[in-house]
Amino acid sequence: MIPVEKAIELILKEIELLGLEKIDILSSLGRVAAENIYSNRDIPSFDNSAMDGYAVRFMDIQSASNDNVSVLNVIEDLPAGYTPNRAVNKGEAVRIMTGAPVPQGADTVVMVEDTEKEGDTVKIFRETKQGRNIRRAGEDVKAGELVISRGTPVRPAEIGMMASVGRSFVSVYQVPRVAILSTGDELVDVDGRLNGGKIISSNSYTLISQVKECIAVPIYLGIARDTKEEIKKKLKEGTHADIIISSGGVSVGDYDLVKDVLKEIGADIRFWKVAMRPGQPLAFGVIAGKPIFGLPGNPVSSMVSFEQFIRPSILKMSGFKHIFRPVIDAVLKEDIYQKPGRKRFLRSIVSLEDGKYYVRLTGEQGSGILMSMVRSNGLTIIPEDGAGFKAGEKVRVQLLDRDFELSKEPGYPL
Ligand code: AMP
Ligand code: MG
């Protein structure tokens, strides 16, 4: 039995980046950029108006006020998307819309609220600072500037920036294809017949979804009966993937065949059993350079083991640097007793009250209680030594999601 930390270290040592691929920017959301992107242009590429108003020469309006109205000849109407035909000379103005290029000669835009149109002239009632309401070429991005660096996770803003600099394709790190096999004579898929001790293979569904949550590609191998032949056949199919996962059949029962099969198909088993609860019987090996995980069958063990070991592996393979869930300190709302020896990942409900994190358990913590995962948003981590914690003490909690920080109301007064 090895400590969790050691298991993570042994696993991540085997995980390498996959190759790169060039994809459409709209497909790159949630992926990691594998190249530095420099702008080949100024953005904006020309001086343009930040307001609807009048492009003028500052000299002509500099002391304008209600008592000293400047009257200018309007020589042109300039919507966004068009270029001016004429320069602005002394005593002239161009009616200009937001985003339209500032004409030659003009150095200031007066907003429409400070003006009044009268025939071919405009009255200006208020002085504006020189250069006001003009967005300068390159004020967002300068030509040659690094706008996205290699290793950046791609969000909508990055996609918009790539589009802005004229990039329709981007190099990203490939994401792993992850083969998933469920083992057990008792298992049927969700619409299978539930007679004679059968149960639904919920792990198939949680594992596929956990892989998807990492933006990787699940390949479902189905359910293997508890025979070496069938497990072997299906696991071999899985070796075409980048990561192979099986669930069930990895403890010490008569029908726990996965570990033997792993050896028989040529996997080099690096460890079996981790000092944790849930999830102790975890087998990890390497086959043809690919990581292969034998997860325990209990639904909570399977999910928690995936979280601790497989999620970071997938994220590392996909080019992410920050591969671990956030861990916070929270004030415990109840006592926790601990039998020393194994690190525990207790399904927990984290809340934020007056700016402080609090945590309580979801109740029954058995490794078959899938509702404990449904109820939880975090895993309270109890170290293997020590006798547990008392209510009011601080504990470390790994956050599975941060939706508890979302709100029905905006965070500012309405
Ligand atoms: P095992 O690890 O094969 O000994 O299975 C441990 C427990 O988990 C047993 O009660 C199994 O029925 C259950 N189990 C195994 N595989 C799955 C699965 N794919 N979905 C839901 N429960 C499972
Ligand atoms: Mg089994």
Side-chain angles (χ1 to χ4, degrees), residues 181-184 186-187 199-204 207 223 226 247-251 253 255-256 281 295-299 367:
L181 176 67
S182 290
T183 71
E186 72 279 33
L187 303 176
I199 63 165
I200 291 169
S201 175
S202 61
N203 291 356
S204 303
L207 287 169
I223 294 167
D226 284 319
S247 93
V250 79
S251 352
Y255 295 94
D256 290 335
L295 300 182
N298 275 307
S367 57

Side-chain angles (χ1 to χ4, degrees), residues 1 92 94 139-140 162 168 180 231 298 310 327 329 360-361 389 401:
M1 203 148 72
E92 293 179 341
V94 163
E139 75 171 26
D140 185 0
M162 291 189 260
S168 46
I180 295 161
I231 297 172
N298 275 307
I310 304 181
V327 174
D329 285 324
R360 64 196 160 92
L361 305 188
F389 292 89
D401 71 64

